[in-house]
Amino acid sequence: MTENERAEIVVDLDAIAANTAVLRAHVGRPLMAVVKADGYGHGLVPAARAALAGGADALGVTVLEEALALRAAGVTAPVLSWQHVPGADYAAALRADVELSVNAEWALAEVVAAARATGTTARVHLFVDTGLSREGATPADWPGLVEAAARAQDDGAVEVTGLWSHLAYADAPTHPTIAAQVAVFEEATALARAAGLTAARRHLANSAATLALPDTWYDLVRPGVAVYGLDPLGGDPADHGLRPAMTVRARVALTKRVPAGTGVSYGHTHHTTAETNLALVPVGYADGVPRAGGNRAPVLAAGARRTIAGRVCMDQFVLDLGDDVAAPGDEVVLWGPGDAGEPTAQDWADAVDTIHYELVTRVGGRFARRYTGTAGVPS
């Protein structure tokens, strides 16, 4: 951090590229790096470029705005966008050469209309709901969607390039729902093949499945959080050859010596047990630091791990350092790769009863973001 920076998120682009390369080598087939949600909080465009530099064959995003932002930044790799509402600007997507996921016949009709209006052939992925009960056509609705897509493909309005679904329990590799979902997926894709959609690539595997479930790899895998070096199975990412790409840190804004029995932060949920040094860290829940971290979440400060003392506030939290000494401007690390003894995002997730996905995608607010490494950086 420079002297005038209060707090920053540091993203290691070389780690993103290396993680992608490890995953690509692990599966030995095409890989779609998922860069939705601003690259899982790492920055949409830099993360996408780093993943491509690491060998990703395609990119996945949720909404059209993300896909169009990639195109506006000059990213030319294949991009799939998969969550749309009626009236979405499919024409803009088709003009930008964005592939589209379709869940239902009404959505396919809108894509077909946009293809005809723009004089293009839309590349679509058909999504079947195999048991997650989120996106996707149900097994009852799937035959109708497949039939409509096959007609549209015969008419030249669409090219069905993908058949896909999503697992509910991939982070529990022995869960019985996995085999059940695979069976539904096999049946659904066989029906699509029989209808003439023979060129479409099948894809089912998310990060956890990419690491642990080879039977789900099919023609393409699409890891997300693992690209950023986080273990979707909740373990040590190094066990999979992955390295966390994000470090979150701030500077101490104020220190003070207080007597025993001093109440700290809103509601005085922490009281000092002896005369002690307090350090004020100027980030809070407005910056994506979970309020639930009060009296629970770890940080590295003054050479040791500490637990946040009292409640996390909108703009700040407090550390009780005991007799250890810190000074204004000293660094406090919330989470990082763990190399220097700092907590990891998994440590925070365990402390506040959430998942590291939520932590890395929500942190931001008034944090500055800085990049290290050169992977994907334009020369």
Side-chain angles (χ1 to χ4, degrees), residues 69-95:
L70 289 172
R71 290 291 187 249
V75 174
T76 59
V79 176
L80 172 65
S81 172
W82 55 72
Q83 192 176 91
H84 319 294
V85 296
D89 192 357
Y90 292 123
L94 299 183
R95 285 192 291 266

Side-chain angles (χ1 to χ4, degrees), residues 10 58 149 167 240 251 269 282 294 300 319 340:
V10 182
L167 294 166
H240 307 290
R251 288 186 181 276
T269 60
L300 179 66
L319 301 176

Side-chain angles (χ1 to χ4, degrees), residues 31-73:
L31 179 148
M32 177 185 293
V34 179
V35 293
K36 63 180 182 176
D38 198 23
Y40 283 60
H42 295 69
L44 172 66
V45 173
R49 288 175 172 159
L52 292 169
D57 303 272
L59 301 169
V61 297
T62 301
V63 298
L64 290 179
E65 291 86 350
E66 294 168 327
L68 296 176
L70 289 172
R71 290 291 187 249

Side-chain angles (χ1 to χ4, degrees), residues 111-112 115-116 120-123 151-159:
V111 172
V112 168
R116 289 174 176 156
T120 60
T121 297
R123 288 197 296 277
R151 288 197 307 269
Q153 181 163 280
D154 290 342
D155 292 342
V158 307
E159 178 188 358

Side-chain angles (χ1 to χ4, degrees), residues 13-375:
L13 297 174
D14 291 344
I16 293 174
N19 295 333
T20 305
V22 165
L23 296 167
R24 183 67 168 76
H26 177 63
V27 298
R29 67 201 67 206
L31 179 148
M32 177 185 293
V34 179
V35 293
K36 63 180 182 176
D38 198 23
Y40 283 60
H42 295 69
L44 172 66
V45 173
R49 288 175 172 159
L52 292 169
D57 303 272
L59 301 169
V61 297
T62 301
V63 298
L64 290 179
E65 291 86 350
E66 294 168 327
L68 296 176
L70 289 172
R71 290 291 187 249
V75 174
T76 59
V79 176
L80 172 65
S81 172
W82 55 72
Q83 192 176 91
H84 319 294
V85 296
D89 192 357
Y90 292 123
L94 299 183
R95 285 192 291 266
D97 195 26
V98 173
E99 299 187 30
L100 301 166
S101 178
V102 171
N103 295 275
E105 289 187 59
W106 65 260
L108 179 64
E110 291 195 2
V111 172
V112 168
R116 289 174 176 156
T118 56
T120 60
T121 297
R123 288 197 296 277
V124 301
H125 295 231
L126 304 183
F127 195 117
V128 58
D129 180 2
T130 55
L132 183 58
S133 302
R134 287 192 333 188
E135 307 107 309
T138 65
D141 292 336
W142 179 250
L145 177 59
V146 166
E147 182 181 351
R151 288 197 307 269
Q153 181 163 280
D154 290 342
D155 292 342
V158 307
E159 178 188 358
V160 178
T161 56
L163 303 168
W164 70 305
S165 190
H166 197 54
L167 294 166
Y169 266 100
D171 55 351
T174 61
H175 199 277
T177 58
I178 295 169
Q181 285 195 253
V182 167
V184 175
F185 188 66
E186 293 274 0
E187 184 176 349
T189 55
L191 187 149
R193 295 279 197 249
L197 306 180
T198 55
R201 291 191 293 184
R202 300 161 299 166
H203 50 109
L204 181 62
N206 58 4
S207 284
T210 295
L211 292 174
L213 297 169
D215 289 346
T216 68
W217 291 350
Y218 292 100
D219 306 311
L220 170 74
V221 297
R222 43 170 213 280
V225 81
V227 168
Y228 308 97
L230 300 174
D231 184 357
L233 303 172
D236 184 351
D239 292 343
H240 307 290
L242 305 175
R243 176 177 173 76
M246 177 185 287
T247 299
V248 180
R249 58 192 192 177
R251 288 186 181 276
V252 172
L254 177 70
T255 60
K256 60 183 73 176
R257 186 80 174 170
V258 300
T262 298
V264 176
S265 196
Y266 287 128
H268 286 180
T269 60
H270 174 83
H271 287 82
T272 61
T273 57
E275 187 177 4
T276 191
N277 294 317
L278 299 181
L280 183 70
V281 183
V283 291
Y285 59 76
D287 306 294
V289 179
R291 187 173 183 270
N295 296 312
R296 298 164 69 183
V299 303
L300 179 66
R305 282 206 190 193
R306 320 280 175 177
T307 299
I308 292 174
R311 289 182 181 159
V312 174
C313 307
M314 186 180 294
D315 315 300
Q316 56 205 286
F317 63 80
V318 179
L319 301 176
D320 185 339
L321 304 180
D323 288 326
D324 292 337
V325 177
D330 285 357
E331 182 179 88
V332 175
V333 182
L334 282 70
W335 66 77
D339 297 341
E342 79 274 14
T344 63
Q346 184 64 56
D347 292 331
W348 267 73
D350 293 340
V352 303
D353 193 25
T354 186
I355 55 176
H356 48 47
Y357 299 72
E358 180 181 5
L359 294 168
V360 296
T361 56
R362 76 185 290 179
V363 70
R366 293 162 293 191
F367 279 95
R369 188 189 282 147
R370 181 169 63 85
Y371 294 96
T372 62
T374 59

